[in-house]
Amino acid sequence: MAGLNCGVTLPLLGVLLLGAAHLTGGAAFEIGLPHGSGITVSIKPGTPLLPGKTCHIVPRTKTDTLLIKSGETKGFSFSCPSPENYFVIEVQRNIDCMAGPCFFGEVQLQPPTSGLPTLNRTFIWNVQAHKRIGLELQFSLPRLRQIEPGDSCPDGVTHSISGRIDSTTVQIGTFCSNGTVSRIKMQEGVQMALHLPWFHHRNVSGFSIANRSSIKRLCIIESVFEGEGSATLMSANYPAGFPEDELMTWQFVIPAPLRASVSFLQFNVSNCERKEERVEYYIPGSTTNPEVFKLEDKQPGNMAGNFNLSLQGCDQDAQNPGILRLKFQVLVQHPQQESNITYVVDLSKERAMWLSIEPRPSRQSRRFVPGCFVCLESRTCSTNLTLTAGSKHKISFLCDDLTRLWMNAEKTVDCMDHRYCLRRSFPLLVPGDILQLPVQLHDFSWKLLVPKDRLSLALVPAQKLQQHTQERTCNSSFSYLVASTGPGQDLYFGSFCSGGAIQQIQVKQNISVTLRTFAPSFRQEVSRQGLIVAFIPYFKEEAVFTVTPDTKSKVYLRTPNWERGLPSLASVSWNISVPRDQVACLTFMKERTGLVCQTGRAFLIVQEQSSAAEEVFSLEEVLPKPIARHHSFWVNISNCSPASGKQLDLLFQVSLTPRTVDLTVILIAVVGGGALLLFALGLVICFVKKNRKKKRTKGPAVGIYNGNVNTQMPMQPPKFQKAPKDADPHVYAVIEDTMVYGHLLQGSNGSFILPEVDTYRPFQGPVGGCPPSPPPTCSRAPTVKLAPEEPCPGFSPESESEPYTFSHPTKGSRGDENTAVPLLDAHEAEQPGE
């Protein structure tokens, strides 16, 4: 029955005894069995450990098998010094409780192990009894621990127990020592097999047989706990099918004040014609005993006191019966303080959302570790619990260390009516009932869905975000992970945390935003951060990042899909703001991208927003050196269809420095300003003299005599006599030109024609509000730089009116354009030339 090595590795003690057997090999043995004992001894070949060498029983038999029956005595020896490597011995005893009195009590090993050769031994007891008679196997300390068939025990000692249903043998289980199983009750018969390795000098069976009344089921297994611990148990015939329409029961003895929880590790159900497969619990204090559960249901937990669990089969389909089998675990531990606290998670107002509480991944340990259970309504406990939207849930925890658990949640937000959703926004918030749970939130994901080619999405944080890179890692307690979620899309935009320069992220289509936490302090920090999602008009670029750098630190930015490379033909833009008193330095972190295009071209475009001037670089060539930017600018990266293994990933840096003014420029400006002022003053003087000359050439002045003015030369007689006192003098100090020449300014309708006045009106619309348009990706013409480079540190300052060498012609006014819409969308009707 047992192999020569009993399926185990020999301990050190066995190796030492093996050396002793070599010294005493070839010794003679004699075995005598009394009449009526019902014992049969057979010595037969096992699985040889030393191939190529032989060993025989002396006297030699045809089959090399020695059989000794009840009432016989035989002597024998072996032709080799180590027979344990070639032979096994089996001692079988038949006990018939149907023909006469039955033996009960402690079972002895007969013949004694001291009179047997040092071979791997198997003692078998076959007990036959009537169907109405129950038989009970009682195991002394240490109790038994069930293992799966084929597994081995550490000490090599195994117990195999079988029962009978009519003429069919049913395997109850295989057991090792040091467990919780104290008794096994059966009826109609039992077979008990004890397997001992040759080096194990055990001289007792370790069990007794007792007579009991009918149990009316296949078997009852009693499991006794004396403290915290766990037990793994299996249904009869496991992993084969449980007998059809049979009932099997496990009784658990739980001392106060410990609590027990049941978890189904593995199960299968059969195809039933009548009845239904189920498990039944008799739980202390329950008013609904027996409590019936399906195998698919969450099983009870947090139970105080003894309880029973029963597995009930059904009448199976004869054509397709299927297999019913069950492997489960009972975990017993001290109650925790959290087990008396009930938490309410109200998801009744949520839709398309779920919350899962599950064990955190950890290393397996051989020592006993108390379990962590989540209990629904304080009774249905399991290591995993999923709560769905539309209901209010009451949960509690049975766990010694809640840090061994974490939570994951997902919520779907969709808006398919683009006319209703356009310009609407809402915050991405974790429900308060989830934050109040004593378990760490690992991930909370929002799946944001929009109608295809109708709307895009914008993420606006309360505080500016930082993109996680190797050069500047995120050290906060949480991050936002942004990725596309559409079918066939595989685009990861990056991981972002607070404390950076990214003011807004715009994405083209459906995305997933995941809040991932790293420390419990995130509960305080996430309330200050906040994230708002807005539905905006559709654009064709994969993403647009709005960046406002800080003067105190550098900003590191990298392309999406950093690990796998930017997708083929994808285009991404960065809108980078530069304050008036600062100069931005754009630096690429490597000289070459290593990109090889299979079809099309890949471009890098840097465009000033104050003008249409731009620089275009090929990403297959050497990247530009650090360049200074005095105004806000765009950075656009457009990919080709890259060759295999030559993907596009680009990292660049933006830093700000105060704008400096050169003394030479100041002197030139002062001299130029002075010269301009003198020139303007000369023009004014010339203009005044010219007007005076014109006045001299005019006719007599228009005026009326003023009597108060002295018109006589001194010492000359007056030429005019005074008018009479009653005469009315007409005095005019000033005569307006319009009074004299007014008839020349009148129109045909009699109204005065006012002169036209030109008034300066400043431009109100944004300049450069759209990202640059990439060149045609199918073009194979070499790329040229359209504007000269300017180095970063040590460069000469740029004047406000400094022209660029080249610029794009503009068509029409762009003052009313929406700055949030990329240029690819704005020029949709324009097709680039080849």
Side-chain angles (χ1 to χ4, degrees), residues 211-222:
N211 186 11
R212 293 290 182 264
S213 59
S214 175
I215 60 175
K216 299 180 180 179
R217 61 198 67 204
L218 176 63
C219 71
I220 299 175
I221 298 179
E222 182 183 75

Side-chain angles (χ1 to χ4, degrees), residues 56-60 75-79:
H56 306 286
I57 300 175
V58 180
R60 190 168 182 178
F76 61 94
S77 63
F78 299 97
S79 64

Side-chain angles (χ1 to χ4, degrees), residues 275-296:
K275 300 182 182 179
E276 186 177 8
E277 297 169 341
R278 63 189 184 275
V279 288
E280 298 178 354
Y281 290 86
Y282 281 85
I283 302 175
S286 175
T287 58
T288 58
N289 281 328
E291 294 191 14
V292 180
F293 293 83
K294 294 181 179 179
L295 275 73
E296 299 87 351

Side-chain angles (χ1 to χ4, degrees), residues 443 479-483 492 494-496 512-516 518:
D443 281 350
S479 292
Y480 290 106
L481 281 63
V482 183
Y492 177 64
S495 174
F496 305 89
S512 170
V513 179
T514 300
L515 170 66
R516 175 162 294 175
F518 306 103

Side-chain angles (χ1 to χ4, degrees), residues 7-171:
V8 299
T9 302
L10 302 182
L12 179 60
L13 176 61
V15 176
L16 295 176
L17 292 177
L18 178 60
H22 277 287
L23 296 176
T24 61
F29 299 92
E30 183 178 273
I31 298 177
L33 302 177
H35 288 278
S37 61
I39 300 175
T40 302
V41 177
S42 63
I43 301 174
K44 52 189 176 182
T47 303
L49 293 180
L50 302 175
K53 296 184 178 181
T54 60
C55 186
H56 306 286
I57 300 175
V58 180
R60 190 168 182 178
T61 61
K62 292 183 179 180
T63 59
D64 251 350
T65 299
L66 178 63
L67 180 62
I68 306 173
K69 298 180 180 180
S70 177
E72 295 180 351
T73 299
K74 292 184 179 180
F76 61 94
S77 63
F78 299 97
S79 64
C80 61
S82 54
E84 66 277 359
N85 292 331
Y86 302 93
F87 294 95
V88 296
I89 184 170
E90 182 178 292
V91 180
Q92 183 168 335
R93 180 180 180 185
N94 295 319
I95 303 175
D96 189 358
C97 296
M98 300 179 66
C102 190
F103 167 81
F104 295 108
E106 185 177 355
V107 177
Q108 303 294 329
L109 294 181
Q110 293 179 342
T113 55
S114 59
L116 299 176
T118 55
L119 306 177
N120 290 332
R121 289 149 287 168
T122 301
F123 291 88
I124 302 174
W125 294 269
N126 285 318
V127 183
Q128 297 180 0
H130 198 275
K131 289 184 178 182
R132 294 187 297 272
I133 298 177
L135 298 174
E136 181 180 276
L137 303 180
Q138 299 177 353
F139 301 95
S140 58
L141 295 176
R143 299 185 179 98
L144 302 185
R145 175 176 58 90
Q146 189 172 6
I147 61 174
E148 290 194 33
D151 289 351
S152 58
C153 300
D155 59 358
V157 179
T158 59
H159 303 74
S160 298
I161 303 173
S162 302
R164 296 184 63 85
I165 302 176
D166 297 328
S167 59
T168 304
T169 300
V170 179
Q171 182 71 25

Side-chain angles (χ1 to χ4, degrees), residues 570-599:
S571 178
V572 184
S573 294
W574 289 263
N575 180 4
I576 302 175
S577 300
V578 181
R580 287 181 176 271
D581 58 344
Q582 300 289 321
V583 177
C585 181
L586 176 63
T587 305
F588 295 93
M589 307 308 293
K590 54 185 178 181
E591 293 185 358
R592 289 182 176 271
T593 63
L595 175 69
V596 177
C597 290
Q598 186 173 2
T599 58

